[in-house]
Amino acid sequence: GGIFLYPRQSYILISIIRRLVSNLTNGQERLRICETGFGAGHSAALFLAASTKVEVVTFDKFDRAYQMPAFHSLQSSFGDDRIKSVAGDTCKTVPGFFSRTEEPRCDFVHGSSFCSSDLLDLTKATKPNGVITATAMENLFDKSVYFGHDGQWRNLRFEGCVARTTCWKEEKKELEKSYVFAKKGITMEHHFCIGLSTGQCSYHKAAFTNNTLMLNFDDQCSGLGRVDVPV
């Protein structure tokens, strides 16, 4: 679903992004956020508005009529140099884009597409201790893209790619209109998780260093619908 439907996740992600920005070191001028699933641009706008030191690389098919106008609107509002689009099937474009050794790694990634490998590929492009997150889903046992027994998050944990996973339950929300992923009138109470990249599953391990801030989610977001981690 769209992040505009998830106020708790939005608040937590913004809090984390701003803390990461405040701790930029070693001459790094910007925090690089990489996302799949531009959609109508809600998550990209949220990330860009969090700080002038945020830049976004967004992957999507961009095959819907409203998408490129939305993307250009964000460029106009936040600057051409702060948001970059990569069009095509994210199962192919994400690994293709980050297989280039000269491409900077991500500090923070957000998966939100129907690709069954996008979060795995984004994690490979993330710095050690970089933040890994994905769109909220109906439950953490969901058999779809991100969570559940065969989901990407389970695979990331099993392979040692992500650590310190923390999960939350989103606030209940009744939909006032229909969307691609849900119909008007239903009540959603979705879940989402956040973790940190270990740096063990990367395209270019030699490019990584271990001097990134280690976030403490307990300090950041305690008492906000925390749930156990079954994924």
Side-chain angles (χ1 to χ4, degrees):
I3 202 165
F4 62 94
L5 295 172
Y6 306 128
R8 179 167 290 156
Q9 185 180 35
S10 297
Y11 172 81
I12 290 172
L13 296 189
I14 289 299
S15 298
I16 291 171
I17 289 168
R18 287 176 175 163
R19 183 174 177 188
L20 289 171
V21 166
S22 70
N23 285 276
L24 289 176
T25 58
N26 297 331
Q28 183 179 353
E29 295 181 357
R30 286 182 176 171
L31 186 81
R32 179 170 247 215
I33 297 179
C34 306
E35 68 162 12
T36 56
F38 177 79
H42 295 101
S43 56
L46 181 77
F47 301 150
L48 290 167
S51 170
T52 57
K53 293 185 177 181
V54 164
E55 66 179 24
V56 173
V57 181
T58 182
F59 298 82
D60 199 298
K61 289 182 179 180
F62 288 98
D63 56 354
R64 288 172 253 173
Y66 58 80
Q67 289 188 292
M68 288 315 297
F71 175 79
H72 292 311
S73 177
L74 292 182
Q75 284 188 313
S76 177
S77 298
F78 296 103
D80 292 0
D81 62 330
R82 290 187 56 204
I83 181 167
K84 176 189 295 186
S85 65
V86 181
D89 180 351
T90 56
C91 287
K92 299 176 181 178
T93 56
V94 174
F97 184 82
F98 288 112
S99 64
R100 305 195 298 254
T101 56
E102 72 277 9
E103 194 60 47
R105 306 298 92 189
C106 309
D107 299 290
F108 179 111
V109 300
H110 180 71
S112 183
S113 78
F114 294 110
C115 172
S116 61
S117 61
D118 66 333
L119 196 61
L120 300 172
D121 291 325
L122 284 175
T123 300
K124 292 177 183 178
T126 305
K127 298 174 183 177
N129 303 329
V131 175
I132 312 297
T133 186
T135 187
M137 304 295 287
E138 185 172 354
N139 62 70
L140 298 180
F141 300 94
D142 200 309
K143 295 181 180 180
S144 57
V145 179
Y146 295 113
F147 305 119
H149 182 73
D150 296 318
Q152 294 184 73
W153 205 282
R154 174 71 65 90
N155 291 333
L156 286 170
R157 295 185 72 201
F158 181 78
E159 296 294 334
C161 306
V162 65
R164 298 185 63 192
T165 296
T166 307
C167 301
W168 287 268
K169 180 169 64 175
E170 186 55 71
E171 299 175 19
K172 286 185 179 181
K173 184 176 182 63
E174 181 177 340
L175 296 186
E176 297 178 353
K177 59 181 293 187
S178 294
Y179 298 94
V180 173
F181 47 85
K183 299 298 183 182
K184 177 181 177 180
I186 72 165
T187 298
M188 301 194 317
E189 190 175 22
H190 287 187
H191 297 70
F192 61 95
C193 297
I194 300 174
L196 296 177
S197 169
T198 63
Q200 298 303 305
C201 309
S202 63
Y203 292 116
H204 310 292
K205 289 185 181 180
F208 288 134
T209 58
N210 283 307
N211 58 0
T212 308
L213 171 72
M214 179 64 80
L215 283 170
N216 186 329
F217 297 136
D218 291 331
D219 291 345
Q220 289 276 115
C221 314
S222 60
L224 288 173
R226 287 273 297 275
V227 295
D228 292 335
V229 183
V231 292

